[in-house]
Amino acid sequence: MEKRSFKILSIDGGGIRGMFPTRLLCEMEEELARNGNGSRLCDYFDLICGTSTGGIIAIGLALGMPAQDILKLYRDNASNIFKKKALRFGLFRSMYSNDFLHDLLKETFAKYSSNGDTRLGHAKTRVCIPTYNSASGKANVYKTAHHDKLFRDYQIPAHHVALSTAAAPVFFPPHSFTYTPVDSANLVEVNMNIDGGVIANNPTHIGIVEAHNTLGVPLADIRVLSLGTGHKVFTEHKTEKGFGFWYWGNKKVRLVDLMFSAQSQNTDNLVKFLNNGVGEGELPKFYYKRIQHYFGNNEDIKLDETDPQKLMKLEAIALNSYKEHGAEIWKQFLTEKKEDFKPVKQL
C-alpha cells in the first residue's frame, strides 16, 4: 500500500478577514461534495492549526463543522462581534466586549458533542491553537491528545480555547475562564489568555514542528496548505510623521495589524527557507502551498470591518484565488482521506 502523506492545514489570524480563508475552504468542500467524497475537511487533514480568527475556524473544522456554516457565522454576526463602543473604551479599555462572541461560539460548538459540552477533545482530527498567557508570561499552544504526553488540554471547552486565541490586544480583553474536567470535581482556573497572533499569527511552523518533532513524521511526507487572511503592505517614507500614539493608534494604521501581518510574512519566509534552503537549485524537503492576498491601495478591509460591501468583496477575492489555485489544492490535499485519528485520551 502506498504511504499516505501527512497533510497540515494552517490558517492565519486576521479578525473578520477570516472570511477569506473560510470562503476558500467552502470551495474545497463543495468540490468534495461534487465528487461524491463527502465534504468534511476534518476527514482530509491530519492536523489543523489556527491562530485568532484562524483558531476559531480550525476548531470548527476539526469538530466537523462545515466551512459554509463558519462563513455564515461571520456574515451574520460581524456587526455584533465588532459592535461600536464609545471612544473611551478604545483608550482605556478594549474596543469591544467578547460577551457576544462567547455566547455565539459556545452555542455553535455545542452541536458537536452528544451532551452540548463540547471540548477540544471532541475534535475529529489533530489541532494546534497558539495563545499567550499574560498571567504566567508564557507562550502556549493548546493541543488535542495526539501524543501520550499531551493530556493537559483536551478537556478544555472548545469555545474557551477559541476565545483565548482570538483575544486580540486593543480589540478584545484577555480571556479568563474556569472549567471542570470530566473525571474530576476540581475546578480549573485559567487567567489572562491573549491572542495567539502575538507569538504566531501564521501558525504554519507550529504545524510542521508538531508533525516532525512530536509525531515523528519525516519532512518528505509532509504537505502543508497555509491560508492567509490578506496582507496590507506597510510602507512609510515621511519622516515628519512623529510616530507617536496618534500615528500608530490611528484606525488607518493599526500597530496590531502591522505586527500580525509582519509576523505572518516572516513565518512564510522561514518556512520557505526551511523547505528550500538558500538560493536556487535545492530540492524542496516537503510540499508547501501558501495562499495569501496582498491588498491594493483601494482595498481597505480592516480587522474589524463590518461594511457588507467590503466583506462581499473579500469573498470575491477568495473565490478568484480558488479559481487560480483550486486544481493544485485538489490534487495535493483532497484526493485521499487521512488515516483515522485515534487520540490517546478520549472523552
Side-chain angles (χ1 to χ4, degrees), residues 63-87:
L63 290 172
M65 187 175 178
Q68 190 65 47
D69 289 356
I70 301 174
L71 182 61
K72 186 176 186 300
L73 183 147
Y74 283 117
R75 284 174 177 165
D76 293 350
N77 297 286
S79 60
N80 287 318
I81 294 171
F82 299 109
K83 191 172 184 179
K84 302 300 181 184
K85 288 184 177 181
L87 178 61

Side-chain angles (χ1 to χ4, degrees), residues 222-347:
I222 292 175
R223 296 184 192 178
V224 182
L225 176 60
S226 177
L227 303 181
T229 57
H231 176 76
K232 182 75 171 180
V233 176
F234 176 81
T235 58
E236 181 59 82
H237 305 287
K238 297 180 180 179
T239 58
E240 69 274 13
K241 286 286 186 180
F243 300 97
F245 176 82
W246 178 252
Y247 176 83
W248 289 112
N250 187 284
K251 66 180 181 180
K252 294 181 180 179
V253 192
R254 289 208 191 280
L255 180 60
V256 173
D257 193 2
L258 168 62
M259 292 175 64
F260 285 4
S261 294
Q263 197 281 335
S264 291
Q265 191 174 33
N266 184 56
T267 294
D268 180 40
N269 291 337
L270 289 173
V271 172
K272 288 177 179 176
F273 180 75
L274 172 65
N275 195 22
N276 299 305
V278 180
E280 300 179 355
E282 292 192 34
L283 295 175
K285 297 177 180 64
F286 53 90
Y287 178 86
Y288 174 58
K289 178 69 175 179
R290 172 72 170 170
I291 299 179
Q292 177 68 294
H293 176 74
Y294 291 85
F295 293 114
N297 293 329
N298 62 337
E299 294 176 333
D300 181 21
I301 302 176
K302 304 184 295 294
L303 297 176
D304 56 349
E305 186 63 69
T306 58
D307 184 337
Q309 294 300 318
K310 291 185 178 182
L311 298 183
M312 287 177 61
K313 183 176 182 180
L314 188 61
E315 287 194 52
I317 293 170
L319 183 59
N320 288 333
S321 292
Y322 190 77
K323 289 178 180 178
E324 179 182 354
H325 302 287
E328 185 178 356
I329 291 173
W330 173 266
K331 177 182 178 182
Q332 296 294 340
F333 297 98
L334 302 178
T335 58
E336 184 179 43
K337 290 187 176 181
K338 72 175 194 310
E339 292 183 342
D340 289 339
F341 170 51
K342 297 178 181 178
V344 177
K345 300 284 186 178
Q346 298 188 11
L347 295 169

Side-chain angles (χ1 to χ4, degrees), residues 126-185:
R126 301 168 188 84
V127 169
C128 286
I129 308 292
T131 187
Y132 182 86
N133 184 262
S134 64
S136 64
K138 294 181 179 180
N140 183 36
V141 179
Y142 287 119
K143 303 177 183 181
T144 44
H146 49 257
H147 188 279
D148 57 11
K149 293 184 180 180
L150 300 177
F151 50 82
R152 182 192 63 185
D153 305 332
Y154 77 103
Q155 296 207 45
I156 300 177
H159 67 284
H160 284 312
V161 177
L163 287 162
S164 293
T165 192
V170 180
F171 293 92
F172 293 107
H175 184 59
S176 300
F177 61 93
T178 60
Y179 72 98
T180 303
V182 296
D183 56 357
S184 171

